[in-house]
Amino acid sequence: SALAKYSYSSCGGDPSAVSVRSLQISPDPLTFPGKVSYSIDFEVKKLLKDVSMQLKIVRNTFLLDVTLPCVKQIGSCTYNKMCSFIDDMYRENWGSIGTKIAGQFLAKNTNRPDLCQTGLPAQRITRSGSFDVPDLPSILSFIAEGDYTVRAEFRDTKTNNMIHCLEVNAELNDGSSWGRKKRRTMA
């Protein structure tokens, strides 16, 4: 694999708004279905309200890089209201897996503030935990094994100014029954 190891880097934004100190994701490579562990340490330096996220997911191959489409809110999508991201994922069941993934976060965080009302105040945030990624339904079969670059641009929805940009490189292994069948037929 060309990337082999997980990595992340800042790719721009307003350094007076957000600073990411650490972001760890394991296992490396990521395998789905399976458990993903995470640890994040970042600082919000001023009140953030009305934030959108533009996500671009690119599969890196030896011939060319392919941008994944946005299908049922999974892939290279724009999320206009980050304040309700997890709630929207749960309620709308994005990609037929959203309820399973978001439900794990909601169960662990029952006394959450309404960020759409209050915004996210200046603070240092450290979180760690894990969640289970279910087997992907056939509609998301475009997500395959390989090396990926994920670019997340967080923007002020009123001015469209970039607040922060984060780029993650990771390898993805498909441990699903669909992925194993696909590999057997190619051998």
Side-chain angles (χ1 to χ4, degrees), residues 132-175:
D132 293 310
V133 177
D135 214 344
L136 299 182
S138 59
I139 191 144
L140 298 178
S141 62
F142 62 88
I143 301 174
E145 278 193 346
D147 294 332
Y148 287 85
T149 299
V150 178
R151 181 182 175 102
E153 292 184 5
F154 298 91
R155 295 187 173 272
D156 181 311
T157 56
K158 290 187 166 105
T159 65
N160 201 37
N161 289 340
M162 190 185 311
I163 296 167
H164 191 72
C165 178
L166 190 65
E167 195 165 274
V168 175
N169 293 304
E171 182 181 350
L172 188 62
N173 281 345
D174 182 352

Side-chain angles (χ1 to χ4, degrees), residues 47-51 81-85 87 112-121 158:
L47 176 69
L48 298 180
K49 199 167 184 183
D50 303 316
V51 177
K81 289 176 60 181
M82 286 306 297
C83 60
S84 60
F85 181 81
D87 295 302
R112 296 173 298 122
D114 182 353
L115 296 178
C116 292
Q117 292 295 319
T118 64
L120 185 60
K158 290 187 166 105

Side-chain angles (χ1 to χ4, degrees), residues 1 3-7 25-31 169-173:
S1 159
L3 295 174
K5 287 288 181 194
Y6 158 84
S7 66
I25 300 172
S26 65
D28 185 11
L30 294 170
T31 301
N169 293 304
E171 182 181 350
L172 188 62
N173 281 345

Side-chain angles (χ1 to χ4, degrees), residues 55-117:
L55 198 63
K56 182 176 181 183
I57 302 175
V58 176
R59 182 160 182 227
N60 311 111
T61 70
F62 69 97
L63 289 177
L64 62 128
D65 294 341
V66 179
T67 300
L68 272 58
C70 181
V71 176
K72 295 193 172 237
Q73 292 300 96
I74 303 288
S76 298
C77 306
T78 296
Y79 305 99
N80 292 317
K81 289 176 60 181
M82 286 306 297
C83 60
S84 60
F85 181 81
I86 295 291
D87 295 302
D88 293 345
M89 181 190 298
Y90 182 82
R91 188 181 62 259
E92 298 167 11
N93 195 22
W94 297 348
S96 300
I97 61 171
T99 299
K100 291 177 185 173
I101 293 173
Q104 296 172 67
F105 289 98
L106 293 172
K108 294 175 187 174
N109 299 290
T110 56
N111 294 321
R112 296 173 298 122
D114 182 353
L115 296 178
C116 292
Q117 292 295 319

